Amino acid sequence: MGDTVLRPPTRSLLECDSTDQLCIVRTYEYEVIVVPTFLIGVFVILLAIIFFLRYRKRKSGKGQTQDPQSQKNHRNLNSGISLGELSLDRALKLQDSSLQDLEVPWENIRKPLQLVGEGRFGPIYRTVLSEADGREQDIIIKQLRDSAGPREVQTFLYRIRFQAWLGRHPYLVGLLGCHSMQKPYCMVLESLEPGSLLQFLWDCRRDVMSMDGILYDLTECQVYTIGLQIVSALEFLNHRSLLHGDVATRNILIQRNFTVKLAGLGGACDMHLLGSFPSRRPAPLKWMAPERLLHLPITTKSDVWSFGILLYEMITLGAPPYPEVPASSILQYLQRGNVMKRPSSCKPALYNIMKACWAWKARDRLSISDLQRRLEVGKKSSDDRTVLLVPELVVPELYAGVAGTEALKMETDYTVL
């Protein structure tokens, strides 16, 4: 009688004697089978509800795209346009009056066209435009390839709209018009010679005074002058809440009078469409600010960092940045607090501006307005007589490997968009 009486588990729905082993097994069998089955049933019901709600939301979204007001908004540049797979007719209907105002009659463009390169959307030509008053102007034609699908047509037309919306600036490549009502679809841009600033810097290394009437000499003062022009273009973009994203000599075109124009505005166009700069938009690593290498949000200060690299390119007549560091290791190099050393052709005043562009933290870098003031002060005391000399010639294929860029085409690319 002193033995302790064993009681059945309190969770059991059966009355079991302590010696009834079969009853106890059935009790746990109930817990193992019935309870999980109940939970699975609840999960299936919840899953069905979730799918039902998502289906209703998707159906509702489709109904909104058919709304005429929504279609009207798609035609508005500032609200963006859908880049979905639409029919060609549908893509062309998304045009607005701004393209019609820019339309250039195809018969006003002199043939045959002179092929100068291949761009993202198709061939790039040089030719002459006959204007209504009888004057003729050298132009560049960026043509959309004949095999382009509806999506490419729509993207191409949007980029023409963006350039028209952006407006004219003395240091941005100007859009003169377009041919968008029928094939061949193309944009008409002003022609600049000799063209690529990077190629011009390389030509300055040659032991020649001029070539085709173009002087291939560069002084320290002209470096400041060109820098001020590029800063003016960046400030213009900044006032429109845009970033460039790839400030480098390869994206700048130079004219005979040493006036330069900033090109390569694809990132700014994407930013205008999406509302923010694409954080993973491809660009050579050695020109990127640390925050961009870390895939963090970027600001105008990120363009300031790249501008410091551009100053290095100009003062060295097109040398690749960080020549001793592989492109894949540039982030680790910068994380250790390293910056490029002062080149022998660079005076301390200009080098101090570069270093002020290369502060690790964006807030510690120069602003666009501060950068402009520093360049103006430096220009006043710069050397305008001594020509920059770098004896070694550049091999483009070797340059691409050291700089971390793809093999460059030496034609005038006119990557304005």
Side-chain angles (χ1 to χ4, degrees):
M1 294 181 62
D3 294 339
T4 302
V5 178
L6 295 176
R7 298 183 180 275
T10 57
R11 291 175 293 177
S12 174
L13 298 181
L14 300 174
E15 295 296 335
C16 300
D17 294 333
S18 59
T19 57
D20 192 346
Q21 298 297 323
L22 180 59
C23 180
I24 294 174
V25 169
R26 287 177 177 175
T27 297
Y28 286 102
E29 181 182 84
Y30 177 88
E31 293 182 338
V32 171
I33 297 177
V34 176
V35 174
T37 303
F38 172 78
L39 294 176
I40 292 173
V42 172
F43 174 77
V44 171
I45 293 173
L46 291 175
L47 194 61
I49 293 173
I50 292 173
F51 277 116
F52 176 74
L53 294 176
R54 292 188 63 180
Y55 172 78
R56 286 186 59 187
K57 183 177 180 180
R58 183 177 299 178
K59 185 176 181 181
S60 175
K62 289 181 179 179
Q64 291 178 355
T65 58
Q66 297 172 356
D67 181 20
Q69 183 63 33
S70 176
Q71 294 179 3
K72 182 178 179 180
N73 290 338
H74 278 305
R75 291 191 290 269
N76 188 324
L77 172 65
N78 295 322
S79 64
I81 60 174
S82 170
L83 297 181
E85 291 295 341
L86 304 177
S87 68
L88 182 57
D89 291 339
R90 169 70 171 155
L92 294 177
K93 288 178 181 178
L94 290 174
Q95 298 184 68
D96 55 24
S97 59
S98 65
L99 294 191
Q100 297 177 6
D101 296 339
L102 292 170
E103 197 69 18
V104 173
W106 189 245
E107 56 268 20
N108 289 7
I109 298 175
R110 181 185 296 176
K111 289 80 172 177
L113 307 178
Q114 177 187 354
L115 182 66
V116 295
E118 186 76 18
R120 171 185 171 184
F121 293 97
I124 301 172
Y125 300 100
R126 178 179 284 109
T127 186
V128 174
L129 174 65
S130 299
E131 300 183 9
D133 58 4
R135 293 182 301 172
E136 293 187 337
Q137 181 176 357
D138 292 336
I139 60 172
I140 291 293
I141 297 287
K142 291 192 72 171
Q143 183 174 313
L144 182 65
R145 60 180 61 88
D146 293 336
S147 60
R151 182 184 180 90
E152 285 183 293
V153 172
Q154 191 179 13
T155 302
F156 188 74
L157 297 180
Y158 178 82
R159 296 204 167 193
I160 299 176
R161 287 193 199 94
F162 167 77
Q163 186 73 8
W165 167 83
L166 191 61
R168 299 298 293 270
H169 186 273
Y171 306 125
L172 290 177
V173 177
L175 176 71
L176 302 179
C178 64
H179 190 258
S180 63
M181 306 307 294
Q182 59 184 359
K183 290 185 176 182
Y185 306 117
C186 63
M187 59 184 74
V188 181
L189 305 167
E190 59 181 328
S191 177
L192 305 175
E193 294 183 11
S196 167
L197 176 59
L198 180 59
Q199 180 64 62
F200 174 82
L201 294 173
W202 291 349
D203 289 338
C204 287
R205 294 181 173 218
R206 299 177 181 176
D207 188 19
V208 294
M209 293 299 296
S210 65
M211 186 179 300
D212 299 328
I214 303 170
L215 293 177
Y216 283 95
D217 290 332
L218 194 69
T219 65
E220 181 192 34
C221 183
Q222 288 168 331
V223 169
Y224 278 101
T225 300
I226 293 172
L228 282 167
Q229 294 174 12
I230 298 167
V231 167
S232 177
L234 292 177
E235 184 179 35
F236 179 79
L237 294 177
N238 188 32
H239 285 166
R240 284 154 178 74
S241 301
L242 297 174
L243 306 175
H244 186 275
D246 193 13
V247 179
T249 55
R250 63 181 172 276
N251 283 325
I252 295 170
L253 303 174
I254 187 169
Q255 302 180 92
R256 286 184 169 88
N257 61 358
F258 283 92
T259 298
V260 299
K261 302 211 174 191
L262 183 62
L265 299 182
C269 182
D270 290 345
M271 184 176 183
H272 187 267
L273 174 63
L274 302 174
S276 61
F277 194 91
S279 61
R280 295 184 179 272
R281 180 178 173 83
L285 300 178
K286 290 190 175 184
W287 280 260
M288 288 186 182
E291 60 271 18
R292 190 167 180 191
L293 290 169
L294 294 167
H295 302 297
L296 299 174
I298 67 174
T299 66
T300 304
K301 297 292 188 74
S302 305
D303 278 346
V304 169
W305 175 288
S306 301
F307 180 84
I309 305 294
L310 180 141
L311 290 178
Y312 174 89
E313 290 185 273
M314 287 196 290
I315 202 65
T316 60
L317 298 182
Y322 311 101
E324 74 285 1
V325 183
S328 58
S329 303
I330 193 63
L331 178 57
Q332 295 85 343
Y333 180 82
L334 297 175
Q335 285 175 324
R336 292 192 289 267
N338 297 315
V339 296
M340 281 189 286
K341 298 179 180 179
R342 181 171 68 90
S344 58
S345 56
C346 182
K347 293 183 178 179
L350 183 61
Y351 182 62
N352 288 336
I353 295 176
M354 294 182 197
K355 290 196 297 182
C357 295
W358 297 334
W360 173 267
K361 294 182 179 179
R363 66 173 180 266
D364 296 333
R365 294 174 209 150
L366 296 174
S367 65
I368 291 290
S369 57
D370 290 337
L371 182 56
Q372 186 174 26
R373 284 192 291 268
R374 292 279 294 271
L375 290 170
E376 288 172 347
V377 171
K379 180 180 176 180
K380 293 178 181 179
S381 58
S382 62
D383 187 347
D384 193 26
R385 294 188 177 183
T386 305
V387 174
L388 296 174
L389 296 176
V390 178
E392 299 86 0
L393 298 182
V394 174
V395 179
E397 293 76 14
L398 297 179
Y399 171 91
V402 176
T405 60
E406 297 179 356
L408 299 175
K409 295 181 179 179
M410 290 301 101
E411 300 88 1
T412 303
D413 190 7
Y414 281 81
T415 52
V416 65
L417 298 176

